Amino acid sequence: MNEKNQTLVNEIVLLGFQNLHNFKIPLFSLFLLIYIMTVWENVLIIVLVSSSQNLQSPMYFFLQQLSLTDLLASTNIIPTLLQTVKNEGTTISFFDFITQLYIFGGSESFECLLLAVMSYDRYVAICIPLRYTSIMSPRVCVTLILISLALGFGITMITVNLIGTLQFCDQNTIDHFFCDLFPLLALCCSDTFLVQLEASIVIIPAVISPFILITVSYMCIAHAILKIVSNTGRQKAFSTCSSHLAVVSIFYGTLIAIYVVPSRNQSQTISKVLSLLYTIVIPVINPVIYSLRNKDMNDALKKL
């Protein structure tokens, strides 16, 4: 494209949800309430795990990291969402857009890896319980978290650096409520093949590999549970991983619906509604899922 027809894009306009009319105030209030609940629930879990002696096991350490991730992800997205609802759109600088995109991509990739680590923790606890303490030592747990953090945010940094090589023309309007990669690529007037190829490749270590590890872990867990003779033992073993399985199903279900197998006839409104599930709904329901049927968490909450 001729250089004179290109314009430097300094701002991005996010349209959010348009034509809300009488639903503007109720939706704003609902999203604000969800954010307040998300912060309160996840901070409560972080405090409980840090202060309670009964919650000093690897499972609760990983749960604490999940709460930190959900807190980061929701704080990164919801303020922008509230602005788009209040003003029926918002304008942010290109630098802020890329920053939000980096935090979003890094936190989502880290959560995929963290869920895989948590499934491995449940596999060791149920399938080889006698070696659980030696395998899942505090040093190993911290190392797994650091590797997941480095991998999740590292591969996202590669994507962000490639975006910096792209050229953007005079279009700067995105029909979304937060900074996502593929709507941004639609604004480019240069070749985006390399970025799309890189995004497809990094899905393997960030999303597909953790999903395979989770699937294999739960196949082994199911096989081990079926070998337990007593019904009480089966129920106890299943209850230790049912919450994690529910979280994995919701998280990966929404990701697959949006990014892996989206319908050709799927409207942008439906896509935005699905995006709400994993950006603001999942962070608020994760603590509820993990706490409702967990006796140790309930006991620690009563003591607190």
Side-chain angles (χ1 to χ4, degrees):
M1 182 175 289
N2 196 318
E3 203 171 301
K4 67 181 181 181
N5 292 329
Q6 296 176 359
T7 306
L8 181 63
V9 175
N10 294 319
E11 293 181 333
I12 300 292
V13 178
L14 296 174
L15 296 180
F17 295 93
Q18 297 289 302
N19 303 317
L20 294 176
H21 303 300
N22 296 331
F23 293 100
K24 182 186 295 186
I25 295 178
L27 271 181
F28 182 89
S29 303
L30 174 62
F31 293 148
L32 180 59
L33 177 62
I34 289 175
Y35 180 59
I36 293 172
M37 290 177 61
T38 300
V39 172
W40 181 79
E41 291 173 356
N42 286 286
V43 167
L44 182 62
I45 285 185
I46 294 169
V47 172
L48 284 176
V49 175
S50 300
S51 60
S52 177
Q53 292 296 323
N54 294 330
L55 303 180
Q56 299 305 307
S57 66
M59 181 177 72
Y60 296 112
F61 171 73
F62 295 136
L63 178 58
Q64 186 183 49
Q65 307 310 307
L66 181 63
S67 292
L68 284 168
T69 308
D70 286 340
L71 195 58
L72 174 64
S74 59
T75 302
N76 181 48
I77 298 295
I78 295 183
T80 304
L81 171 62
L82 292 175
Q83 289 182 8
T84 61
V85 172
K86 179 183 176 183
N87 304 320
E88 293 197 5
T90 188
T91 301
I92 63 175
S93 68
F94 189 77
F95 176 79
D96 290 341
F97 186 99
I98 295 300
T99 302
Q100 188 182 88
L101 176 63
Y102 174 67
I103 295 174
F104 166 72
S107 60
E108 294 300 308
S109 299
F110 172 67
E111 185 158 347
C112 289
L113 296 165
L114 178 58
L115 290 174
V117 171
M118 295 173 74
S119 69
Y120 175 72
D121 171 70
R122 292 299 84 206
Y123 160 75
V124 177
I126 293 175
C127 297
I128 40 180
L130 297 179
R131 297 181 57 196
Y132 179 73
T133 305
S134 60
I135 294 176
M136 301 304 294
S137 64
R139 183 177 179 179
V140 170
C141 294
V142 172
T143 302
L144 289 173
I145 292 299
L146 292 177
I147 292 174
S148 300
L149 274 171
L151 186 59
F153 284 90
I155 60 179
T156 307
M157 180 60 74
I158 299 174
T159 305
V160 170
N161 286 334
L162 287 176
I163 291 175
T165 65
L166 299 177
Q167 295 175 330
F168 297 88
C169 300
D170 53 349
Q171 293 183 348
N172 69 335
T173 302
I174 292 178
D175 187 13
H176 217 319
F177 62 87
F178 75 100
C179 309
D180 203 359
L181 174 62
F182 294 108
L184 176 65
L185 295 182
L187 302 181
C188 293
C189 53
S190 58
D191 188 12
T192 61
F193 173 76
L194 188 61
V195 180
Q196 292 180 346
L197 177 63
E198 186 270 345
S200 301
I201 293 174
V202 300
I203 284 177
I204 297 174
V207 180
I208 297 178
S209 296
F211 183 73
I212 293 174
L213 178 59
I214 291 170
T215 304
V216 172
S217 296
Y218 274 103
M219 288 175 63
C220 296
I221 289 171
H223 180 70
I225 291 176
L226 290 176
K227 292 169 67 175
I228 299 175
V229 178
S230 65
N231 290 331
T232 305
R234 287 183 181 180
Q235 291 176 357
K236 184 177 180 180
F238 179 75
S239 65
T240 61
C241 56
S242 58
S243 299
H244 178 260
L245 189 58
V247 169
V248 168
S249 301
I250 298 172
F251 182 78
Y252 271 97
T254 53
L255 284 183
I256 291 171
I258 296 171
Y259 295 110
V260 181
V261 286
S263 172
R264 291 183 178 178
N265 298 322
Q266 179 175 295
S267 68
Q268 186 63 23
T269 301
I270 295 176
S271 177
K272 285 187 281 190
V273 171
L274 289 174
S275 296
L276 286 174
L277 286 177
Y278 72 91
T279 54
I280 73 168
V281 176
I282 288 179
V284 77
I285 65 172
N286 278 352
V288 177
I289 292 175
Y290 275 104
S291 303
L292 272 180
R293 298 177 60 187
N294 192 300
K295 185 178 181 298
D296 292 335
M297 291 290 292
N298 290 327
D299 290 343
L301 182 59
K302 290 176 183 177
K303 290 180 181 179
L304 184 66

